[in-house]
Structure formats: structure tokens, C-alpha cells
Amino acid sequence: MSLRKQLILWTILLIGVSIQASPKPIKSTKSSKSKKTIQYLKVKPSEGQGVYSLLRNYKLIQDPDNVALFYEINSLKQNTSLSKNKLYKLPIEVLKYDGKSIRTSIGNKNLETAKQIEEYNLVLTKKKIRKTDYKKDGKLWVLIQINEKSNNQLANSSKIILSNSSTTQSVKSIPEDDPRKQFLVASMSTMKSKLVADYKMTDAEVNSLRERFTSLKSEGNLIKKVSAKSLNVPLFGNKYESVDIVTDELNDQVFYIVPGHGGPDPGAIAKNVDGKYTICEDEYAYDVSLRLAKNLMEKGASVYIIVEDKNDGIRDEMYLDCDKDETSMGGHEIPLSQKKRLKQGISKVNKLYSKHKKKGIAKQWMVSLHIDAQSEESRQDVFFYYQSESTISKNKALDIQNVFEEKYKICRKNECYKGTVSSRPLYVVRNSDPEPIFVELANIHNPEDQKRILYPKNRQLLADWITEGFLK
């Protein structure tokens, strides 16, 4: 065999050996990059903190994609309770800051994106959510969204929404030219409320309330005495500020109404309602709270509203603007920090409770109204939480639940009421000196549940039925 033929044979044999020794086909470089490990920011929730509360602390709640991503990256089912002893991944990627610029650090030349990332980090540092500045510890926090189509790489279209920043995307719920803005009323039922008593108070009964209502004037709710049988409450708005004291059924009771969230915290948000509206939990919880407060005043109760918005009042509109001008009772700014915000509200409640207790008033209630945020498919009826150590709190929650069950038999004859009563160690429930009742009015993301809060007549019915529960 010639030397040339021998070389050709050896080459063929070597190629064959190489082919047999090769492992499984190597994935493309593009595919390998798409499988890169993302270093998520990991945090522990505080006692009783839920997913929305946790994400809200890190300015993530405004974008619903972040909520879905949180469940995905932590392999959790929707509505799973969080454990305070467990670390959870946030949809924030921790990247190394190279000491030069944000753009070179993240590998993105877009200047606007770099500015947003910088501002996000600065805001969290200012609010002490970040302990140190990114330039000092060399770590950048970057909000991310995972795009399945690009194999879980950082999406270039990631949204960054800051609550207190010049780059905040404005939440405009209602176009100015929309004819439906004013006075859209539901036609849910022709049933009339039976809450108004058949008799008027005597002058002697009204006079017995005078001292207590007068004492409310300086407490921040802008209540003014007009006559022996009426009050003027500008907080309710021009249309509803005149309040007639109809009965004395609750004249020995004090109520502290705590609307959920407010100020810098809108609570749960639903976008694209009816295709173009954004609705916020705090606005609808506040409207029902005002209606409830007015009902209770009409029954002779002393009422404090712990969150105030002097521009809104009771609104007969379907779509309520999301704003951030609510204050704590007395005109005090509401903190952005959830812990400080809750502590601010409940400390006001407990201080007033102590004041009235010294005057011999035993029956005092803290009522906190919220709107839940579950998956869109989750239909839920109004449900209640009570303080686990208090039989009084539990029994009153059951009283109100019974009213709702009775009303549902009239309004929804073909569907049973499924609202629950249970105990839960929420901050305001645990720390309330007055007997606490915590109410979840609806699931803000469910289209059918939305009707319960969107229609002003339905909001009034919610207030009416809760009031009736306190009359039991």
C-alpha cells in the first residue's frame, strides 16, 4: 500500500473514532446563554405579610406581571401564604456594578433604561429598603420580567414604575371626555333598605349625644354641629355633608373606620377594566368607608375616619380616579413604609379608644375595609376576619356575615352566599384595642366581583348591610 493510501486510511479511522467518542450534540451558543442563572434578590417577609404587601415594599406591586412572576420563580401556587422564616425570590436581578456606568454593568446601551434603574436604586436607598448605595456595595438591583419566548432572558421591555419619582407612570383611570364618568348607578335590585328606623329621636335623646359629637370636632374629621338633630361633615362631600341623626340605636358606641391603604399606597390595582380603566383598592375601600361612617352617625354613633381625602367625599361615579392625596386623620402625611403606615393608623385608634374608655364607653369597634387581590378566575363573596382571642370580635363578624347571607337570598336567589368568617393575625387586627372587624369586600381582579364595588348603589348596599350587622 502506498504512503498516500495509508494516510487517507488513517484519516478516515481517526474521524470515525472522533464521531464515536462525541457526546450528545452540543447546544448552540444562543441556547446556552438563554439558560443563564439569574441571581434574584432574596428576602424574608415579616410576620403575617402577604405577597402583595411584600412586593409593595419593593415598589413592585404596580405591575401585575411582577406578581405572576413572583409565584413562578418561587414555584408557588396563587394565594399561597408566606412564611416569615423562609427566603423568597423577588423579581429583581442583582447584578455587579463595574464602577464605570450602569449601561456597561448591565450590557444595555439604552440611556433611559439606565436612568430608570439608577433612580429605582436611589429611591430604595432613600427609603432605607436598601441598606447601602449601589456604588458603595457594588450591587445593582434591576427589575426584570421573564420572557418565555426568549428563554427566560431579561426582557428589553421590562417596566420600571416608581411610586415617588419623576418617572412614575401616571395612573389615569378616567378619560376626561368619557360621558360615563358622572353618576353611573347600578340597577342591581329594587329592594329598599330597612335600616332607617320608624321613629325620630326625642330632644332629650339628642341632647344626650351633644357632648360626644362636639368632642369630635377637633379630632380631624371636620364634623360641625349644625343643630340638635343634624351634623355637617364636609369630608363626605357637598352632596352628602349634611347628616341627620335619625335614631339613637348606637349612641353608646364608638367606631373607628380604617379604609385600607391610601396616600402613597394604592393597594391592589386592576388594569384594563372595561378595556381602558385602572381601578385602585384604596379609592373603593374609602368610598364604602365614608358611606358606612355616615350610616353609623345617622344611628347616633360616634365615628372616627382614620384616613381622609378632603377632595373626594362620597362619590356616585363608577370609575374612581386613583390619586395619592389621602392623609391620616388630622391631615398628617401617610408614610410610604407599610409598617409605619399601619402603626400610624392603629396608634390613633388606640389613643382615642383609651380616651373614650376613661369616659365609660365600653362598646368600641375598629372596622377596616379592604378589597382583596386574587387571580382573575377567583370569584369570592364578602368575607371577614376577627381577633382570635376575642369572642366579641368573632360574634360581631358572624352577625354581619349573617346579614349578608340573608340579603343574598333576596338578591341572588340562585346562588348561595359563601363568605367566610375566620381569624387571621393581621397587624391591625392583632394590635387594635377596640374590638376589630376586618372586611374584604371583593376580588378586584374578578369581572363579576368588580361589579360589587364599581356600581355606587352596590357600594351603598355594602355599607348598609355592614351597618345592619352592628344593629343586631
Side-chain angles (χ1 to χ4, degrees):
M1 185 182 297
S2 67
L3 180 60
R4 183 182 178 187
K5 288 183 178 180
Q6 290 183 32
L7 289 172
I8 292 172
L9 180 60
W10 278 109
T11 300
I12 293 172
L13 289 173
L14 286 171
I15 292 174
V17 171
S18 176
I19 292 173
Q20 291 177 5
S22 295
K24 294 180 180 179
I26 299 174
K27 294 183 179 180
S28 67
T29 305
K30 180 179 179 181
S31 176
S32 297
K33 287 183 179 180
S34 69
K35 296 296 183 181
K36 73 168 188 174
T37 301
I38 294 175
Q39 184 181 348
Y40 293 104
L41 179 66
K42 297 179 180 179
V43 298
K44 286 184 179 181
S46 57
E47 179 73 34
Q49 192 171 37
V51 173
Y52 279 81
S53 172
L54 179 63
L55 296 181
R56 188 175 293 115
N57 282 353
Y58 288 82
K59 312 294 181 291
L60 296 166
I61 197 64
Q62 290 91 337
D63 190 339
D65 289 343
N66 286 326
V67 180
L69 181 54
F70 177 86
Y71 287 114
E72 179 184 332
I73 63 181
N74 288 286
S75 300
L76 297 175
K77 293 182 178 180
Q78 289 283 335
N79 313 322
T80 301
S81 299
L82 302 182
S83 170
K84 69 174 183 177
N85 298 318
K86 184 177 177 181
L87 281 171
Y88 294 91
K89 300 174 184 176
L90 293 180
I92 298 175
E93 185 173 13
V94 180
L95 296 174
K96 182 179 179 181
Y97 178 64
D98 63 9
K100 299 177 182 179
S101 72
I102 291 178
R103 286 187 288 177
T104 57
S105 299
I106 66 174
N108 188 328
K109 296 181 179 180
N110 188 299
L111 180 61
E112 185 60 30
T113 298
K115 287 181 178 178
Q116 289 181 327
I117 292 173
E118 181 178 39
E119 190 163 3
Y120 178 73
N121 281 265
L122 292 177
V123 167
L124 294 190
T125 302
K126 184 178 180 180
K127 299 298 179 182
K128 297 183 180 180
I129 296 171
R130 279 199 64 145
K131 294 181 179 180
T132 55
D133 183 76
Y134 72 91
K135 292 181 179 179
K136 292 182 179 180
D137 65 14
K139 295 179 180 179
L140 272 174
W141 290 5
V142 181
L143 289 114
I144 64 172
Q145 291 178 8
I146 299 300
N147 187 339
E148 294 180 359
K149 293 182 180 180
S150 60
N151 296 316
N152 294 337
Q153 287 185 334
L154 176 64
N156 292 329
S157 60
S158 292
K159 301 175 184 177
I160 299 179
I161 306 176
L162 309 178
S163 294
N164 291 336
S165 112
S166 59
T167 61
T168 302
Q169 292 186 7
S170 175
V171 180
K172 186 63 178 176
S173 318
I174 311 169
E176 291 297 329
D177 59 348
D178 194 304
R180 293 182 292 172
K181 182 176 181 179
Q182 298 293 330
F183 309 112
L184 296 172
V185 181
S187 56
M188 171 182 165
S189 172
T190 57
M191 182 192 71
K192 295 182 178 179
S193 172
K194 298 180 180 179
L195 294 184
V196 179
D198 295 328
Y199 67 95
K200 293 278 187 179
M201 282 196 299
T202 64
D203 289 340
E205 290 171 331
V206 172
N207 288 335
S208 70
L209 305 177
R210 187 186 303 275
E211 181 182 353
R212 284 170 50 257
F213 278 117
T214 303
S215 70
L216 289 175
K217 250 194 315 191
S218 61
E219 298 295 349
N221 285 330
L222 306 178
I223 297 174
K224 300 177 183 178
K225 194 74 178 179
V226 176
S227 69
K229 294 184 178 180
S230 64
L231 303 169
N232 181 262
V233 189
L235 198 65
F236 294 159
N238 293 334
K239 184 179 178 181
Y240 294 99
E241 64 182 349
S242 179
V243 180
D244 293 328
I245 304 172
V246 181
T247 78
D248 66 344
E249 293 170 276
L250 300 175
N251 69 341
D252 62 342
Q253 302 187 38
V254 180
F255 290 81
Y256 308 94
I257 310 299
V258 184
H261 308 278
D265 176 20
I269 296 174
K271 298 182 178 181
N272 297 320
V273 177
D274 284 346
K276 56 181 175 180
Y277 296 102
T278 293
I279 61 174
C280 297
E281 173 184 1
D282 64 330
E283 301 299 332
Y284 291 89
Y286 182 69
D287 190 74
V288 177
S289 294
L290 293 186
R291 294 171 187 271
L292 173 61
K294 184 173 182 292
N295 283 355
L296 295 170
M297 288 179 183
E298 290 173 345
K299 305 294 177 277
S302 291
V303 182
Y304 295 88
I305 304 164
I306 304 304
V307 174
E308 301 175 338
D309 189 327
K310 297 177 183 178
N311 299 323
D312 286 343
I314 296 173
R315 290 167 283 180
D316 289 323
E317 301 167 14
M318 193 168 179
Y319 302 99
L320 306 181
D321 278 314
C322 297
D323 59 36
K324 298 182 180 181
D325 60 349
E326 296 87 5
T327 58
S328 181
M329 191 183 73
H332 303 289
E333 183 179 356
I334 297 175
L336 179 61
S337 164
Q338 184 198 36
K339 185 176 181 179
K340 291 181 180 178
R341 183 175 65 253
L342 295 177
K343 186 176 181 180
Q344 178 193 60
I346 208 66
S347 63
K348 287 180 181 290
V349 169
N350 291 341
K351 183 178 179 180
L352 290 166
Y353 167 84
S354 178
K355 173 183 172 181
H356 286 289
K357 186 177 181 182
K358 289 178 181 177
K359 293 182 179 180
I361 300 178
K363 293 183 179 180
Q364 301 190 53
W365 308 93
M366 188 282 294
V367 185
S368 187
L369 301 180
H370 288 255
I371 297 165
D372 206 7
Q374 305 292 339
S375 63
E376 184 177 334
E377 297 77 19
S378 178
R379 180 83 186 273
Q380 64 184 42
D381 288 328
V382 180
F383 63 94
F384 308 88
Y385 294 125
Y386 63 87
Q387 194 176 73
S388 59
E389 296 82 8
S390 171
T391 302
I392 296 174
S393 173
K394 179 180 180 179
N395 288 341
K396 183 51 63 179
L398 288 168
D399 282 343
I400 304 172
Q401 183 208 36
N402 288 338
V403 171
F404 274 79
E405 189 170 13
E406 292 167 5
K407 301 301 183 184
Y408 267 58
K409 290 178 182 178
I410 301 172
C411 297
R412 285 164 58 178
K413 296 180 179 179
N414 298 324
E415 188 173 347
C416 296
Y417 172 70
K418 299 177 182 178
T420 59
V421 172
S422 60
S423 63
R424 186 179 176 186
L426 298 168
Y427 182 90
V428 294
V429 175
R430 293 197 322 268
N431 293 283
S432 174
D433 289 339
E435 297 294 344
I437 305 294
F438 190 102
V439 187
E440 292 282 7
L441 299 172
N443 172 17
I444 199 169
H445 293 139
N446 181 272
E448 290 301 314
D449 273 17
Q450 287 170 357
K451 296 177 183 177
R452 194 179 306 144
I453 57 173
L454 287 178
Y455 294 120
K457 185 174 181 179
N458 291 350
R459 297 200 294 269
Q460 184 60 48
L461 285 173
L462 289 170
D464 290 348
W465 296 354
I466 294 172
T467 303
E468 189 168 340
F470 282 105
L471 295 176
K472 283 183 175 291

